[in-house]
């Protein structure tokens, strides 16, 4: 599958909250950008070995612009600092995508829960749910009121949106939105790991859809060596116990797209033609992992001695 890749121009930089910068990106020649649906993200290439994923949080109907929002992380790995300090108006930045592992499924009712910058994929979902005539509410938390982004934009939805700064109200009252869910209700949640873990403990898995910005703690077994047959290139690669499938494949000279190397972004998702993956990602749902049709080769391994991948 061909993935869109282009250099886009930073058309605007606006503060969305304390420490949150919203950027609007356009094609330098005014060309339309690929279509996307709520929940999608793009890869932003900020420099050599510096690539990050950001959710699209604008209007999917606007083919001329993509909007992202970036939280300045004091203890981050350099991506957010680069965006805040070095990516200026008129600068060009290379992007790939969009990709979507957090699609808004049709439902008569939704409960949205966002923590901090986790509001970004949720924003276009609210507009889509509204347009579809669904019943919905949003519970949105952050450390302080000034750190909670896009509150003015959310104001148009009235009391369906509950903003809960932690320094004023404490931890989010998850019971208020997760207890006694009416039939047909889907729960969408994005935010810090502890919030997602708490929601997963309280919400039936079949009702819940989450997106993680950092890897979920895995209870993986001991690594062992196995073989990977690459169906397209006709090669077989040995994957040692201390090497990822991604690294083994690349060492064999096969080029594949990848980004986070943590199993959170979905860039390296690869079709599995035979064999059983040992899933260790934080992207695929339990049902998707059970099907074994794809795997994230940056972290996942093999439950046997051999895999056949569509590479």
């Amino acid at each position: 599958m061909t993935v869109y890749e282009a250099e886009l121009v930073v058309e605007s930089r606006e503060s969305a909250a304390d420490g949150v910068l919203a950027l609007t990106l356009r094609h330098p020649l005014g060309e339309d950008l690929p279509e996307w649906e709520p929940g999608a993200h793009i890869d932003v290439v900020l420099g050599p070995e510096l690539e990050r994923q950001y959710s699209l949080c604008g209007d999917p109907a606007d083919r001329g612009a993509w909007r992202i929002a970036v939280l300045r992380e004091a203890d981050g790995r350099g991506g957010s600092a680069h965006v805040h300090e070095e990516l200026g108006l008129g600068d060009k930045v290379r992007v790939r995508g969009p990709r979507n592992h957090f699609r808004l499924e049709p439902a008569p009712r939704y409960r949205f829960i966002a923590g901090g910058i986790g509001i970004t994929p949720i924003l276009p979902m609210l507009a889509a749910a509204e347009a579809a005539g669904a019943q919905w509410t949003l519970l949105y938390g952050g450390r302080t009121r000034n750190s909670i982004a896009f509150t003015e934009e959310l104001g148009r939805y009235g009391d369906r949106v509950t903003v809960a700064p932690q320094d004023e109200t404490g931890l989010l009252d998850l019971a208020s939105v997760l207890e006694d869910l009416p039939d047909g209700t889907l729960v969408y949640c994005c935010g810090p790991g502890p919030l997602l873990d708490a929601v997963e403990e309280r919400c039936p898995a079949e009702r819940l859809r989450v997106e993680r910005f950092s890897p979920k703690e895995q209870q993986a077994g001991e690594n062992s060596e196995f073989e990977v047959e690459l169906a397209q290139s006709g090669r077989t690669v040995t994957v040692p116990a201390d090497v990822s499938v991604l690294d083994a494949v690349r060492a064999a000279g096969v080029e594949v797209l990848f980004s986070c190397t943590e199993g959170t972004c979905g860039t390296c998702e690869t079709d599995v033609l035979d064999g059983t993956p040992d899933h260790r990602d934080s992207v695929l749902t339990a049902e998707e992992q059970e099907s074994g049709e794809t795997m994230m080769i940056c972290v996942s391994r093999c439950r046997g001695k051999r895999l056949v991948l569509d590479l």
Side-chain angles (χ1 to χ4, degrees), residues 16 53 71 79 107 114 156 161 170 183 188 194 218 229 232-233 238 240 292:
Q53 292 71 45
L71 170 67
R156 64 191 178 102
V161 174
D183 290 344
Y188 278 77
Q218 302 286 340
E229 179 182 337
Q232 291 184 32
S233 55
T238 297

Side-chain angles (χ1 to χ4, degrees), residues 199-216:
V199 172
E200 287 182 336
E201 290 178 2
R202 293 166 171 80
C203 184
E206 66 273 13
R207 300 280 194 97
L208 181 60
R209 310 290 182 268
V210 303
E211 182 170 64
R212 291 180 177 271
F213 294 143
S214 57
K216 184 177 182 178

Side-chain angles (χ1 to χ4, degrees), residues 14-306:
E14 300 176 348
S15 174
D18 286 351
V20 179
L21 183 65
L23 304 179
T24 300
L25 309 175
R26 291 189 183 273
H27 193 280
L29 300 179
E31 296 178 4
D32 279 353
L33 302 176
E35 294 180 347
W36 61 279
E37 296 178 355
H41 71 266
I42 57 174
D43 304 329
V44 180
V45 183
L46 300 168
E49 307 299 324
L50 189 61
E51 184 173 323
R52 298 292 183 265
Q53 292 71 45
Y54 299 112
S55 297
L56 293 172
C57 58
D59 180 2
D62 183 359
R63 295 289 303 279
W66 281 346
R67 183 177 70 166
I68 60 175
V70 181
L71 170 67
R72 175 65 185 267
E73 297 185 74
D75 299 322
R77 296 177 296 159
S80 66
H82 182 96
V83 171
H84 278 250
E85 296 174 7
E86 301 184 41
L87 196 58
L89 288 176
D91 287 351
K92 290 184 178 179
V93 62
R94 180 158 293 277
V95 303
R96 286 196 304 262
R99 296 182 178 84
N100 200 337
H101 289 278
F102 194 43
R103 285 185 172 84
L104 184 67
E105 301 172 23
R109 284 169 288 277
Y110 299 99
R111 298 290 182 268
F112 297 105
I113 303 170
I117 200 63
I119 190 62
T120 50
I122 300 291
L123 271 178
M125 291 185 179
L126 303 183
E130 183 80 353
Q135 298 177 18
W136 63 267
T137 62
L138 167 65
L139 178 61
Y140 179 19
R143 293 186 183 279
T144 67
R145 190 169 296 275
N146 288 339
S147 72
I148 296 178
F150 301 111
T151 52
E152 183 175 344
E153 194 169 316
L154 291 167
R156 64 191 178 102
Y157 295 121
D159 60 7
R160 280 174 293 177
V161 174
T162 300
V163 173
Q166 185 174 346
D167 64 343
E168 298 178 18
T169 63
L171 296 177
L172 290 179
D173 181 9
L174 298 178
S176 66
V177 294
L178 294 178
E179 287 185 355
D180 301 321
L181 290 174
D183 290 344
T185 303
L186 290 181
V187 178
Y188 278 77
C189 181
C190 185
L195 170 63
L196 272 63
D197 293 342
V199 172
E200 287 182 336
E201 290 178 2
R202 293 166 171 80
C203 184
E206 66 273 13
R207 300 280 194 97
L208 181 60
R209 310 290 182 268
V210 303
E211 182 170 64
R212 291 180 177 271
F213 294 143
S214 57
K216 184 177 182 178
E217 185 175 346
Q218 302 286 340
Q219 305 240 338
E222 185 177 346
N223 288 355
S224 60
E225 182 178 288
F226 58 95
E227 289 189 340
V228 173
E229 179 182 337
L230 310 178
Q232 291 184 32
S233 55
R235 305 183 63 179
T236 298
V237 175
T238 297
V239 182
D242 59 348
V243 175
S244 70
V245 177
L246 172 66
D247 287 344
V249 168
R250 295 183 69 225
V254 178
E255 290 299 318
V256 293
L257 287 177
F258 69 98
S259 182
C260 73
T261 69
E262 295 180 326
T264 59
C265 74
T267 303
C268 69
E269 184 174 12
T270 302
D271 288 341
V272 179
L273 304 181
D274 194 25
T276 304
D278 178 6
H279 293 288
R280 303 182 184 184
D281 66 275
S282 303
V283 179
L284 299 174
T285 65
E287 291 77 15
E288 290 169 334
Q289 290 186 347
E290 181 67 25
S291 75
E293 295 178 356
T294 68
M295 65 182 289
M296 305 302 160
I297 62 173
C298 66
V299 292
S300 296
R301 300 187 66 81
C302 178
R303 289 194 179 277
K305 294 295 184 181
R306 188 177 181 86

